[in-house]
Amino acid sequence: MTLTSADTVAATTATSVDMSVDLAGRHLPSPMMTASGCAANGRELGRFFDVAELGAFVTKSVMADPRSGRGTPRMAETPSGMLNSIGLQGPGISAFVEHDLAWLKQAGARTLVSVAGGTSGEFADVAATLRASDAFDSVVGVEVNISCPNVANRGLVFACDPLASAKVIALVREQLPRDVPVFAKLTPDVTDIVSVAQACVKAGANGLTMINTLLGMVIDTDLLRPQVAGVTGGLSGPAVRPVAVRAVWQTRAAMLEGRLPYVPIIGVGGVRTGRDALELVAAGASAVQVGTATFNDPSAPVRVGRELAGLVQDKGFTRLADVVGIAHERLARA
Amino acid sequence: MSGATTHGTRPGSGVVRVTGELIATRRVGAYHHLTFVAPGLAELARPGQFVALAVGGPTSANLLRRCFSIHKVSPSGTYGGTVDVVVAAHGPGTTWITELRAHDEVDIVGPLGRAFPLPKEPVPCVLVGGGYGSAPLFWLAEALRDRGCHVEMVLGAATESKLFGVVEARRHADGVTVTTDDGSMGTRGWVSDVLPEVIRRTGAAVVYGCGPMGMLESITDVATAEGAVAQVAVEESMACGVGVCMTCVMPVVGKDGATRMVRSCVEGPVFRGDRVRWDAFSDGWCRVPDDAVGAPRAGGH
Ligand SMILES: Cc1cc2nc3c(=O)[nH]c(=O)nc-3n(C[C@H](O)[C@H](O)[C@H](O)COP(=O)(O)OP(=O)(O)OC[C@H]3O[C@@H](n4cnc5c(N)ncnc54)[C@H](O)[C@@H]3O)c2cc1C
Ligand SMILES: Cc1cc2nc3c(=O)[nH]c(=O)nc-3n(C[C@H](O)[C@H](O)[C@H](O)COP(=O)(O)O)c2cc1C
Ligand code: FES
């Protein structure tokens, strides 16, 4: 990868800490990313900061065809968070690569493209169209959103079932060149997240993103009916952060115990400040995405990166990589 | 003394983000009229655009932004540029805003969304505001009169205390009609009861509206029936205000005749009334019309 001017800006601001990340073979100048569905596809946040300053820009999960998403209301505010039921609204992969990915490329962004499907075949088709696109060289990885409902399987999300997850990951992996890493995005709404992670890595995932939203529900107590039109929705924001820390921790622990091959973890869930990001990093995340906090502060993904760099330096480290998973070395001995 | 800090937004982006000091607050009937220092915002803003305010301070548990129509802006003054909003206390965020006191600071992003389009010719116009929906109409009236348009205003609300700007309207418009549901001021009834007569009398070519969705639908019906174009500023529930969350969508017919679920914070809040699929709204829900682009198919999700 060539270094853009924004890389040098990001690397030289404020601290002397090496914040770069090697993410499944891709070198990123910063660990910071947007979270899928919380940043649209670039232009909107490009008004607030240079999208090339991020380690990677993560796009809204895209499916094969255009989708309207659900009716409204689509959201409810909850304590330190929100419930959303968007229904994967999007332009479809063809329009996405032509308009959105092309824009991100000319803006100098490294893009992590999030893909989704109602069937495992749809995921593969989306990946194939992506690979064939002109701007594919700006893609630093593909994030597979297996946390969406599986049409064929009574609407259960793929990521609740290790076998269904593995099938999707294997089909997507097949469509993409070896040097383009595939990340499986997992839901914490499972009994054992490690077994889903194992299935995904075995099927060819080069990394894991966790967590997607938790299934939740809000009732409007004036009208005594569900507040969002989709009835249930995904819970996100600082309220879910301890769940994200736990999921990253358990997965990293499984790697340390030899139950899971070492793959990088991208931590996401409730990050609002550098301190929050540091928590995920110490639990085992190599990179960090900022989702819901962006609605409060549109520049949060880059601000959190600056705060994180400052904290890492204050604690006496020179490289972010040395902090990844460090909390596992500092357990109370019984 | 500066009263505001400007944060990173990028040159040419058309939007600024500032921590603005509240310099004036006054009660107007059921509402609070607030003036914030917001350098750089006034020069960019046009009538119909809005601002998104963060509420509760930096560690607030209410993360989502609250959106308000820009009531007016002034590019320079004792404090530098300022922006005014008119707020009705409703839930926790608006209650927090209305309890702010002079010199408190608020994080403001704006101007956002598309402004009211102005006619090229000096045609007569009617501006209709429901409740605090009249807030953005006064500087719109000014802009229209600067172009030589004859401007009349129709202000409606449930009751007198929920009308906003009746006195101001007399200053900004060539004629003002007031309605209240309970008859406490002006004509008893709805704005749609008096609107046909005002359109006919003035020969209005454009009707601008801002207020509750039901009112905007009836303004559109009346305007269309009278041969005028309706331009309405909608109020959909918004989480971010800047186009990244997809919560604020509504079905709107595009130039190609196809209905899409579009983001009202970036493609709106102003839409041509006859392009909005009012048939999809009922009982506080808005469904996706079956003929919308990418609508759920049977068996899908
Ligand atoms: C373009 C636009 C212009 C507006 N102009 C004004 C104005 O000039 N004066 C005024 O008093 N109000 C205005 N509103 C409505 C105002 O944004 C809501 O009343 C306010 O966000 C509610 O916040 P809350 O904390 O009181 O309620 P809550 O119900 O706690 O809000 C929770 C979340 O839902 C969103 N939300 C709830 N109701 C609305 C709503 N009606 N519209 C948009 N988002 C909503 C909030 O932004 C927040 O994200 C406008 C809304 C929009 C979209
Ligand atoms: C409005 C909204 C839309 C989302 N859309 C997607 C999506 O399309 N694909 C996806 O993988 N995750 C989606 N997510 C989940 C986020 O990417 C993220 O995993 C989750 O919100 C937790 O992080 P946060 O607390 O920082 O928001 C969405 C979240 C929100 C709030
Ligand atoms: S309010 Fe977030 S996209 Fe419109």
Side-chain angles (χ1 to χ4, degrees), chain A residues 62-66 90-99 101 113-115 125-131 133:
Chain A
V62 63
M63 299 178 78
D65 297 319
I93 185 68
S94 302
F96 168 82
V97 294
E98 192 182 327
H99 301 294
L101 190 59
V113 177
S114 172
V115 299
D125 293 346
V126 172
T129 308
L130 175 66
R131 179 189 188 160
S133 71

mmCIF file with all atom_site columns, all heavy atoms in Angstrom, chain A residues 62-66 90-99 101 113-115 125-131 133:
data_model
loop_
_atom_site.group_PDB
_atom_site.id
_atom_site.type_symbol
_atom_site.label_atom_id
_atom_site.label_alt_id
_atom_site.label_comp_id
_atom_site.label_asym_id
_atom_site.label_entity_id
_atom_site.label_seq_id
_atom_site.pdbx_PDB_ins_code
_atom_site.Cartn_x
_atom_site.Cartn_y
_atom_site.Cartn_z
_atom_site.occupancy
_atom_site.B_iso_or_equiv
_atom_site.pdbx_formal_charge
_atom_site.auth_seq_id
_atom_site.auth_comp_id
_atom_site.auth_asym_id
_atom_site.auth_atom_id
_atom_site.pdbx_PDB_model_num
ATOM 1   N N   . VAL A 1 62  ? -23.927 -4.236  2.617   1.00 0.00 ? 62  VAL A N   1
ATOM 2   C CA  . VAL A 1 62  ? -24.595 -4.144  1.324   1.00 0.00 ? 62  VAL A CA  1
ATOM 3   C C   . VAL A 1 62  ? -25.010 -5.542  0.871   1.00 0.00 ? 62  VAL A C   1
ATOM 4   O O   . VAL A 1 62  ? -24.314 -6.523  1.104   1.00 0.00 ? 62  VAL A O   1
ATOM 5   C CB  . VAL A 1 62  ? -23.686 -3.424  0.296   1.00 0.00 ? 62  VAL A CB  1
ATOM 6   C CG1 . VAL A 1 62  ? -22.396 -4.204  0.042   1.00 0.00 ? 62  VAL A CG1 1
ATOM 7   C CG2 . VAL A 1 62  ? -24.429 -3.152  -1.008  1.00 0.00 ? 62  VAL A CG2 1
ATOM 8   N N   . MET A 1 63  ? -26.188 -5.616  0.255   1.00 0.00 ? 63  MET A N   1
ATOM 9   C CA  . MET A 1 63  ? -26.708 -6.894  -0.232  1.00 0.00 ? 63  MET A CA  1
ATOM 10  C C   . MET A 1 63  ? -26.701 -6.876  -1.757  1.00 0.00 ? 63  MET A C   1
ATOM 11  O O   . MET A 1 63  ? -26.215 -5.930  -2.378  1.00 0.00 ? 63  MET A O   1
ATOM 12  C CB  . MET A 1 63  ? -28.095 -7.139  0.353   1.00 0.00 ? 63  MET A CB  1
ATOM 13  C CG  . MET A 1 63  ? -28.037 -7.213  1.891   1.00 0.00 ? 63  MET A CG  1
ATOM 14  S SD  . MET A 1 63  ? -29.629 -7.446  2.689   1.00 0.00 ? 63  MET A SD  1
ATOM 15  C CE  . MET A 1 63  ? -29.916 -9.195  2.446   1.00 0.00 ? 63  MET A CE  1
ATOM 16  N N   . ALA A 1 64  ? -27.260 -7.909  -2.373  1.00 0.00 ? 64  ALA A N   1
ATOM 17  C CA  . ALA A 1 64  ? -27.192 -8.008  -3.828  1.00 0.00 ? 64  ALA A CA  1
ATOM 18  C C   . ALA A 1 64  ? -28.021 -6.920  -4.507  1.00 0.00 ? 64  ALA A C   1
ATOM 19  O O   . ALA A 1 64  ? -27.557 -6.241  -5.422  1.00 0.00 ? 64  ALA A O   1
ATOM 20  C CB  . ALA A 1 64  ? -27.656 -9.389  -4.277  1.00 0.00 ? 64  ALA A CB  1
ATOM 21  N N   . ASP A 1 65  ? -29.259 -6.735  -4.042  1.00 0.00 ? 65  ASP A N   1
ATOM 22  C CA  . ASP A 1 65  ? -30.177 -5.812  -4.709  1.00 0.00 ? 65  ASP A CA  1
ATOM 23  C C   . ASP A 1 65  ? -30.475 -4.610  -3.823  1.00 0.00 ? 65  ASP A C   1
ATOM 24  O O   . ASP A 1 65  ? -30.244 -4.651  -2.621  1.00 0.00 ? 65  ASP A O   1
ATOM 25  C CB  . ASP A 1 65  ? -31.494 -6.542  -5.015  1.00 0.00 ? 65  ASP A CB  1
ATOM 26  C CG  . ASP A 1 65  ? -31.283 -7.700  -5.968  1.00 0.00 ? 65  ASP A CG  1
ATOM 27  O OD1 . ASP A 1 65  ? -30.496 -7.527  -6.925  1.00 0.00 ? 65  ASP A OD1 1
ATOM 28  O OD2 . ASP A 1 65  ? -31.866 -8.781  -5.736  1.00 0.00 ? 65  ASP A OD2 1
ATOM 29  N N   . PRO A 1 66  ? -31.053 -3.547  -4.440  1.00 0.00 ? 66  PRO A N   1
ATOM 30  C CA  . PRO A 1 66  ? -31.467 -2.402  -3.608  1.00 0.00 ? 66  PRO A CA  1
ATOM 31  C C   . PRO A 1 66  ? -32.501 -2.860  -2.584  1.00 0.00 ? 66  PRO A C   1
ATOM 32  O O   . PRO A 1 66  ? -33.322 -3.741  -2.879  1.00 0.00 ? 66  PRO A O   1
ATOM 33  C CB  . PRO A 1 66  ? -32.124 -1.445  -4.614  1.00 0.00 ? 66  PRO A CB  1
ATOM 34  C CG  . PRO A 1 66  ? -31.681 -1.882  -5.956  1.00 0.00 ? 66  PRO A CG  1
ATOM 35  C CD  . PRO A 1 66  ? -31.366 -3.348  -5.861  1.00 0.00 ? 66  PRO A CD  1
ATOM 36  N N   . GLY A 1 90  ? -30.287 -0.271  1.584   1.00 0.00 ? 90  GLY A N   1
ATOM 37  C CA  . GLY A 1 90  ? -29.071 -0.015  0.817   1.00 0.00 ? 90  GLY A CA  1
ATOM 38  C C   . GLY A 1 90  ? -29.313 -0.045  -0.676  1.00 0.00 ? 90  GLY A C   1
ATOM 39  O O   . GLY A 1 90  ? -30.379 -0.457  -1.141  1.00 0.00 ? 90  GLY A O   1
ATOM 40  N N   . PRO A 1 91  ? -28.306 0.393   -1.453  1.00 0.00 ? 91  PRO A N   1
ATOM 41  C CA  . PRO A 1 91  ? -28.465 0.559   -2.895  1.00 0.00 ? 91  PRO A CA  1
ATOM 42  C C   . PRO A 1 91  ? -28.251 -0.716  -3.698  1.00 0.00 ? 91  PRO A C   1
ATOM 43  O O   . PRO A 1 91  ? -28.494 -0.725  -4.908  1.00 0.00 ? 91  PRO A O   1
ATOM 44  C CB  . PRO A 1 91  ? -27.364 1.575   -3.228  1.00 0.00 ? 91  PRO A CB  1
ATOM 45  C CG  . PRO A 1 91  ? -26.288 1.294   -2.222  1.00 0.00 ? 91  PRO A CG  1
ATOM 46  C CD  . PRO A 1 91  ? -26.998 0.845   -0.969  1.00 0.00 ? 91  PRO A CD  1
ATOM 47  N N   . GLY A 1 92  ? -27.768 -1.800  -3.034  1.00 0.00 ? 92  GLY A N   1
ATOM 48  C CA  . GLY A 1 92  ? -27.386 -2.996  -3.793  1.00 0.00 ? 92  GLY A CA  1
ATOM 49  C C   . GLY A 1 92  ? -25.928 -2.874  -4.206  1.00 0.00 ? 92  GLY A C   1
ATOM 50  O O   . GLY A 1 92  ? -25.397 -1.771  -4.353  1.00 0.00 ? 92  GLY A O   1
ATOM 51  N N   . ILE A 1 93  ? -25.273 -4.028  -4.385  1.00 0.00 ? 93  ILE A N   1
ATOM 52  C CA  . ILE A 1 93  ? -23.819 -4.029  -4.588  1.00 0.00 ? 93  ILE A CA  1
ATOM 53  C C   . ILE A 1 93  ? -23.392 -3.296  -5.863  1.00 0.00 ? 93  ILE A C   1
ATOM 54  O O   . ILE A 1 93  ? -22.354 -2.632  -5.870  1.00 0.00 ? 93  ILE A O   1
ATOM 55  C CB  . ILE A 1 93  ? -23.250 -5.484  -4.526  1.00 0.00 ? 93  ILE A CB  1
ATOM 56  C CG1 . ILE A 1 93  ? -21.723 -5.502  -4.611  1.00 0.00 ? 93  ILE A CG1 1
ATOM 57  C CG2 . ILE A 1 93  ? -23.845 -6.381  -5.583  1.00 0.00 ? 93  ILE A CG2 1
ATOM 58  C CD1 . ILE A 1 93  ? -21.009 -4.916  -3.408  1.00 0.00 ? 93  ILE A CD1 1
ATOM 59  N N   . SER A 1 94  ? -24.157 -3.371  -6.945  1.00 0.00 ? 94  SER A N   1
ATOM 60  C CA  . SER A 1 94  ? -23.697 -2.733  -8.189  1.00 0.00 ? 94  SER A CA  1
ATOM 61  C C   . SER A 1 94  ? -23.623 -1.221  -8.044  1.00 0.00 ? 94  SER A C   1
ATOM 62  O O   . SER A 1 94  ? -22.618 -0.592  -8.401  1.00 0.00 ? 94  SER A O   1
ATOM 63  C CB  . SER A 1 94  ? -24.619 -3.087  -9.360  1.00 0.00 ? 94  SER A CB  1
ATOM 64  O OG  . SER A 1 94  ? -24.658 -4.482  -9.500  1.00 0.00 ? 94  SER A OG  1
ATOM 65  N N   . ALA A 1 95  ? -24.699 -0.629  -7.510  1.00 0.00 ? 95  ALA A N   1
ATOM 66  C CA  . ALA A 1 95  ? -24.692 0.817   -7.305  1.00 0.00 ? 95  ALA A CA  1
ATOM 67  C C   . ALA A 1 95  ? -23.657 1.187   -6.255  1.00 0.00 ? 95  ALA A C   1
ATOM 68  O O   . ALA A 1 95  ? -23.005 2.231   -6.345  1.00 0.00 ? 95  ALA A O   1
ATOM 69  C CB  . ALA A 1 95  ? -26.079 1.304   -6.881  1.00 0.00 ? 95  ALA A CB  1
ATOM 70  N N   . PHE A 1 96  ? -23.473 0.320   -5.269  1.00 0.00 ? 96  PHE A N   1
ATOM 71  C CA  . PHE A 1 96  ? -22.493 0.595   -4.220  1.00 0.00 ? 96  PHE A CA  1
ATOM 72  C C   . PHE A 1 96  ? -21.080 0.722   -4.783  1.00 0.00 ? 96  PHE A C   1
ATOM 73  O O   . PHE A 1 96  ? -20.369 1.681   -4.490  1.00 0.00 ? 96  PHE A O   1
ATOM 74  C CB  . PHE A 1 96  ? -22.537 -0.510  -3.151  1.00 0.00 ? 96  PHE A CB  1
ATOM 75  C CG  . PHE A 1 96  ? -21.381 -0.456  -2.183  1.00 0.00 ? 96  PHE A CG  1
ATOM 76  C CD1 . PHE A 1 96  ? -21.411 0.410   -1.099  1.00 0.00 ? 96  PHE A CD1 1
ATOM 77  C CD2 . PHE A 1 96  ? -20.254 -1.244  -2.387  1.00 0.00 ? 96  PHE A CD2 1
ATOM 78  C CE1 . PHE A 1 96  ? -20.325 0.481   -0.218  1.00 0.00 ? 96  PHE A CE1 1
ATOM 79  C CE2 . PHE A 1 96  ? -19.168 -1.176  -1.514  1.00 0.00 ? 96  PHE A CE2 1
ATOM 80  C CZ  . PHE A 1 96  ? -19.202 -0.312  -0.431  1.00 0.00 ? 96  PHE A CZ  1
ATOM 81  N N   . VAL A 1 97  ? -20.670 -0.243  -5.595  1.00 0.00 ? 97  VAL A N   1
ATOM 82  C CA  . VAL A 1 97  ? -19.288 -0.168  -6.095  1.00 0.00 ? 97  VAL A CA  1
ATOM 83  C C   . VAL A 1 97  ? -19.127 1.023   -7.041  1.00 0.00 ? 97  VAL A C   1
ATOM 84  O O   . VAL A 1 97  ? -18.102 1.696   -7.038  1.00 0.00 ? 97  VAL A O   1
ATOM 85  C CB  . VAL A 1 97  ? -18.805 -1.477  -6.788  1.00 0.00 ? 97  VAL A CB  1
ATOM 86  C CG1 . VAL A 1 97  ? -18.723 -2.609  -5.779  1.00 0.00 ? 97  VAL A CG1 1
ATOM 87  C CG2 . VAL A 1 97  ? -19.684 -1.861  -7.957  1.00 0.00 ? 97  VAL A CG2 1
ATOM 88  N N   . GLU A 1 98  ? -20.166 1.310   -7.801  1.00 0.00 ? 98  GLU A N   1
ATOM 89  C CA  . GLU A 1 98  ? -20.056 2.386   -8.787  1.00 0.00 ? 98  GLU A CA  1
ATOM 90  C C   . GLU A 1 98  ? -20.000 3.763   -8.126  1.00 0.00 ? 98  GLU A C   1
ATOM 91  O O   . GLU A 1 98  ? -19.199 4.613   -8.510  1.00 0.00 ? 98  GLU A O   1
ATOM 92  C CB  . GLU A 1 98  ? -21.241 2.306   -9.744  1.00 0.00 ? 98  GLU A CB  1
ATOM 93  C CG  . GLU A 1 98  ? -21.095 3.174   -10.956 1.00 0.00 ? 98  GLU A CG  1
ATOM 94  C CD  . GLU A 1 98  ? -22.332 3.090   -11.844 1.00 0.00 ? 98  GLU A CD  1
ATOM 95  O OE1 . GLU A 1 98  ? -22.954 1.984   -11.892 1.00 0.00 ? 98  GLU A OE1 1
ATOM 96  O OE2 . GLU A 1 98  ? -22.681 4.099   -12.448 1.00 0.00 ? 98  GLU A OE2 1
ATOM 97  N N   . HIS A 1 99  ? -20.869 3.984   -7.132  1.00 0.00 ? 99  HIS A N   1
ATOM 98  C CA  . HIS A 1 99  ? -20.944 5.330   -6.549  1.00 0.00 ? 99  HIS A CA  1
ATOM 99  C C   . HIS A 1 99  ? -20.165 5.464   -5.248  1.00 0.00 ? 99  HIS A C   1
ATOM 100 O O   . HIS A 1 99  ? -19.418 6.418   -5.059  1.00 0.00 ? 99  HIS A O   1
ATOM 101 C CB  . HIS A 1 99  ? -22.406 5.715   -6.298  1.00 0.00 ? 99  HIS A CB  1
ATOM 102 C CG  . HIS A 1 99  ? -23.231 5.699   -7.542  1.00 0.00 ? 99  HIS A CG  1
ATOM 103 N ND1 . HIS A 1 99  ? -23.021 6.576   -8.572  1.00 0.00 ? 99  HIS A ND1 1
ATOM 104 C CD2 . HIS A 1 99  ? -24.256 4.889   -7.938  1.00 0.00 ? 99  HIS A CD2 1
ATOM 105 C CE1 . HIS A 1 99  ? -23.876 6.322   -9.555  1.00 0.00 ? 99  HIS A CE1 1
ATOM 106 N NE2 . HIS A 1 99  ? -24.634 5.298   -9.198  1.00 0.00 ? 99  HIS A NE2 1
ATOM 107 N N   . LEU A 1 101 ? -18.067 3.047   -3.371  1.00 0.00 ? 101 LEU A N   1
ATOM 108 C CA  . LEU A 1 101 ? -16.682 2.571   -3.266  1.00 0.00 ? 101 LEU A CA  1
ATOM 109 C C   . LEU A 1 101 ? -15.758 3.457   -4.105  1.00 0.00 ? 101 LEU A C   1
ATOM 110 O O   . LEU A 1 101 ? -14.646 3.789   -3.688  1.00 0.00 ? 101 LEU A O   1
ATOM 111 C CB  . LEU A 1 101 ? -16.600 1.105   -3.708  1.00 0.00 ? 101 LEU A CB  1
ATOM 112 C CG  . LEU A 1 101 ? -15.261 0.416   -3.431  1.00 0.00 ? 101 LEU A CG  1
ATOM 113 C CD1 . LEU A 1 101 ? -14.928 0.445   -1.945  1.00 0.00 ? 101 LEU A CD1 1
ATOM 114 C CD2 . LEU A 1 101 ? -15.288 -1.031  -3.931  1.00 0.00 ? 101 LEU A CD2 1
ATOM 115 N N   . VAL A 1 113 ? -15.197 -3.396  3.406   1.00 0.00 ? 113 VAL A N   1
ATOM 116 C CA  . VAL A 1 113 ? -16.556 -3.450  2.874   1.00 0.00 ? 113 VAL A CA  1
ATOM 117 C C   . VAL A 1 113 ? -17.363 -4.492  3.644   1.00 0.00 ? 113 VAL A C   1
ATOM 118 O O   . VAL A 1 113 ? -16.952 -5.657  3.738   1.00 0.00 ? 113 VAL A O   1
ATOM 119 C CB  . VAL A 1 113 ? -16.552 -3.801  1.371   1.00 0.00 ? 113 VAL A CB  1
ATOM 120 C CG1 . VAL A 1 113 ? -17.980 -3.922  0.842   1.00 0.00 ? 113 VAL A CG1 1
ATOM 121 C CG2 . VAL A 1 113 ? -15.792 -2.733  0.584   1.00 0.00 ? 113 VAL A CG2 1
ATOM 122 N N   . SER A 1 114 ? -18.496 -4.070  4.193   1.00 0.00 ? 114 SER A N   1
ATOM 123 C CA  . SER A 1 114 ? -19.362 -5.004  4.902   1.00 0.00 ? 114 SER A CA  1
ATOM 124 C C   . SER A 1 114 ? -20.387 -5.570  3.930   1.00 0.00 ? 114 SER A C   1
ATOM 125 O O   . SER A 1 114 ? -21.075 -4.826  3.235   1.00 0.00 ? 114 SER A O   1
ATOM 126 C CB  . SER A 1 114 ? -20.072 -4.285  6.055   1.00 0.00 ? 114 SER A CB  1
ATOM 127 O OG  . SER A 1 114 ? -21.045 -5.140  6.619   1.00 0.00 ? 114 SER A OG  1
ATOM 128 N N   . VAL A 1 115 ? -20.471 -6.900  3.880   1.00 0.00 ? 115 VAL A N   1
ATOM 129 C CA  . VAL A 1 115 ? -21.419 -7.546  2.971   1.00 0.00 ? 115 VAL A CA  1
ATOM 130 C C   . VAL A 1 115 ? -22.441 -8.351  3.766   1.00 0.00 ? 115 VAL A C   1
ATOM 131 O O   . VAL A 1 115 ? -22.162 -8.820  4.863   1.00 0.00 ? 115 VAL A O   1
ATOM 132 C CB  . VAL A 1 115 ? -20.696 -8.467  1.957   1.00 0.00 ? 115 VAL A CB  1
ATOM 133 C CG1 . VAL A 1 115 ? -19.718 -7.664  1.100   1.00 0.00 ? 115 VAL A CG1 1
ATOM 134 C CG2 . VAL A 1 115 ? -19.972 -9.612  2.653   1.00 0.00 ? 115 VAL A CG2 1
ATOM 135 N N   . ASP A 1 125 ? -22.386 -13.922 -4.102  1.00 0.00 ? 125 ASP A N   1
ATOM 136 C CA  . ASP A 1 125 ? -22.630 -13.070 -5.271  1.00 0.00 ? 125 ASP A CA  1
ATOM 137 C C   . ASP A 1 125 ? -22.160 -11.641 -5.014  1.00 0.00 ? 125 ASP A C   1
ATOM 138 O O   . ASP A 1 125 ? -21.580 -10.990 -5.878  1.00 0.00 ? 125 ASP A O   1
ATOM 139 C CB  . ASP A 1 125 ? -24.124 -13.044 -5.618  1.00 0.00 ? 125 ASP A CB  1
ATOM 140 C CG  . ASP A 1 125 ? -24.621 -14.397 -6.114  1.00 0.00 ? 125 ASP A CG  1
ATOM 141 O OD1 . ASP A 1 125 ? -23.766 -15.251 -6.442  1.00 0.00 ? 125 ASP A OD1 1
ATOM 142 O OD2 . ASP A 1 125 ? -25.856 -14.603 -6.158  1.00 0.00 ? 125 ASP A OD2 1
ATOM 143 N N   . VAL A 1 126 ? -22.447 -11.145 -3.804  1.00 0.00 ? 126 VAL A N   1
ATOM 144 C CA  . VAL A 1 126 ? -22.046 -9.778  -3.465  1.00 0.00 ? 126 VAL A CA  1
ATOM 145 C C   . VAL A 1 126 ? -20.520 -9.677  -3.496  1.00 0.00 ? 126 VAL A C   1
ATOM 146 O O   . VAL A 1 126 ? -19.954 -8.741  -4.068  1.00 0.00 ? 126 VAL A O   1
ATOM 147 C CB  . VAL A 1 126 ? -22.611 -9.384  -2.073  1.00 0.00 ? 126 VAL A CB  1
ATOM 148 C CG1 . VAL A 1 126 ? -22.054 -8.043  -1.617  1.00 0.00 ? 126 VAL A CG1 1
ATOM 149 C CG2 . VAL A 1 126 ? -24.138 -9.339  -2.115  1.00 0.00 ? 126 VAL A CG2 1
ATOM 150 N N   . ALA A 1 127 ? -19.848 -10.673 -2.917  1.00 0.00 ? 127 ALA A N   1
ATOM 151 C CA  . ALA A 1 127 ? -18.379 -10.663 -2.895  1.00 0.00 ? 127 ALA A CA  1
ATOM 152 C C   . ALA A 1 127 ? -17.809 -10.716 -4.309  1.00 0.00 ? 127 ALA A C   1
ATOM 153 O O   . ALA A 1 127 ? -16.822 -10.040 -4.624  1.00 0.00 ? 127 ALA A O   1
ATOM 154 C CB  . ALA A 1 127 ? -17.861 -11.835 -2.058  1.00 0.00 ? 127 ALA A CB  1
ATOM 155 N N   . ALA A 1 128 ? -18.445 -11.495 -5.190  1.00 0.00 ? 128 ALA A N   1
ATOM 156 C CA  . ALA A 1 128 ? -17.954 -11.618 -6.563  1.00 0.00 ? 128 ALA A CA  1
ATOM 157 C C   . ALA A 1 128 ? -18.071 -10.287 -7.303  1.00 0.00 ? 128 ALA A C   1
ATOM 158 O O   . ALA A 1 128 ? -17.155 -9.874  -8.025  1.00 0.00 ? 128 ALA A O   1
ATOM 159 C CB  . ALA A 1 128 ? -18.739 -12.711 -7.296  1.00 0.00 ? 128 ALA A CB  1
ATOM 160 N N   . THR A 1 129 ? -19.192 -9.607  -7.131  1.00 0.00 ? 129 THR A N   1
ATOM 161 C CA  . THR A 1 129 ? -19.369 -8.314  -7.794  1.00 0.00 ? 129 THR A CA  1
ATOM 162 C C   . THR A 1 129 ? -18.367 -7.297  -7.258  1.00 0.00 ? 129 THR A C   1
ATOM 163 O O   . THR A 1 129 ? -17.798 -6.504  -8.007  1.00 0.00 ? 129 THR A O   1
ATOM 164 C CB  . THR A 1 129 ? -20.814 -7.781  -7.581  1.00 0.00 ? 129 THR A CB  1
ATOM 165 O OG1 . THR A 1 129 ? -21.722 -8.809  -7.969  1.00 0.00 ? 129 THR A OG1 1
ATOM 166 C CG2 . THR A 1 129 ? -21.075 -6.527  -8.398  1.00 0.00 ? 129 THR A CG2 1
ATOM 167 N N   . LEU A 1 130 ? -18.134 -7.363  -5.955  1.00 0.00 ? 130 LEU A N   1
ATOM 168 C CA  . LEU A 1 130 ? -17.162 -6.454  -5.340  1.00 0.00 ? 130 LEU A CA  1
ATOM 169 C C   . LEU A 1 130 ? -15.775 -6.683  -5.951  1.00 0.00 ? 130 LEU A C   1
ATOM 170 O O   . LEU A 1 130 ? -15.090 -5.740  -6.349  1.00 0.00 ? 130 LEU A O   1
ATOM 171 C CB  . LEU A 1 130 ? -17.131 -6.704  -3.826  1.00 0.00 ? 130 LEU A CB  1
ATOM 172 C CG  . LEU A 1 130 ? -16.087 -5.921  -3.036  1.00 0.00 ? 130 LEU A CG  1
ATOM 173 C CD1 . LEU A 1 130 ? -16.405 -4.428  -3.081  1.00 0.00 ? 130 LEU A CD1 1
ATOM 174 C CD2 . LEU A 1 130 ? -16.040 -6.410  -1.590  1.00 0.00 ? 130 LEU A CD2 1
ATOM 175 N N   . ARG A 1 131 ? -15.379 -7.939  -6.049  1.00 0.00 ? 131 ARG A N   1
ATOM 176 C CA  . ARG A 1 131 ? -14.050 -8.257  -6.563  1.00 0.00 ? 131 ARG A CA  1
ATOM 177 C C   . ARG A 1 131 ? -13.863 -7.750  -7.991  1.00 0.00 ? 131 ARG A C   1
ATOM 178 O O   . ARG A 1 131 ? -12.771 -7.329  -8.379  1.00 0.00 ? 131 ARG A O   1
ATOM 179 C CB  . ARG A 1 131 ? -13.834 -9.771  -6.537  1.00 0.00 ? 131 ARG A CB  1
ATOM 180 C CG  . ARG A 1 131 ? -12.482 -10.136 -7.081  1.00 0.00 ? 131 ARG A CG  1
ATOM 181 C CD  . ARG A 1 131 ? -12.280 -11.606 -7.297  1.00 0.00 ? 131 ARG A CD  1
ATOM 182 N NE  . ARG A 1 131 ? -10.875 -11.843 -7.642  1.00 0.00 ? 131 ARG A NE  1
ATOM 183 C CZ  . ARG A 1 131 ? -10.278 -13.002 -7.530  1.00 0.00 ? 131 ARG A CZ  1
ATOM 184 N NH1 . ARG A 1 131 ? -10.932 -14.046 -7.085  1.00 0.00 ? 131 ARG A NH1 1
ATOM 185 N NH2 . ARG A 1 131 ? -9.014  -13.134 -7.869  1.00 0.00 ? 131 ARG A NH2 1
ATOM 186 N N   . SER A 1 133 ? -15.033 -5.156  -9.298  1.00 0.00 ? 133 SER A N   1
ATOM 187 C CA  . SER A 1 133 ? -15.234 -3.707  -9.469  1.00 0.00 ? 133 SER A CA  1
ATOM 188 C C   . SER A 1 133 ? -13.922 -2.951  -9.635  1.00 0.00 ? 133 SER A C   1
ATOM 189 O O   . SER A 1 133 ? -12.865 -3.405  -9.202  1.00 0.00 ? 133 SER A O   1
ATOM 190 C CB  . SER A 1 133 ? -16.007 -3.152  -8.267  1.00 0.00 ? 133 SER A CB  1
ATOM 191 O OG  . SER A 1 133 ? -15.179 -3.144  -7.124  1.00 0.00 ? 133 SER A OG  1
#
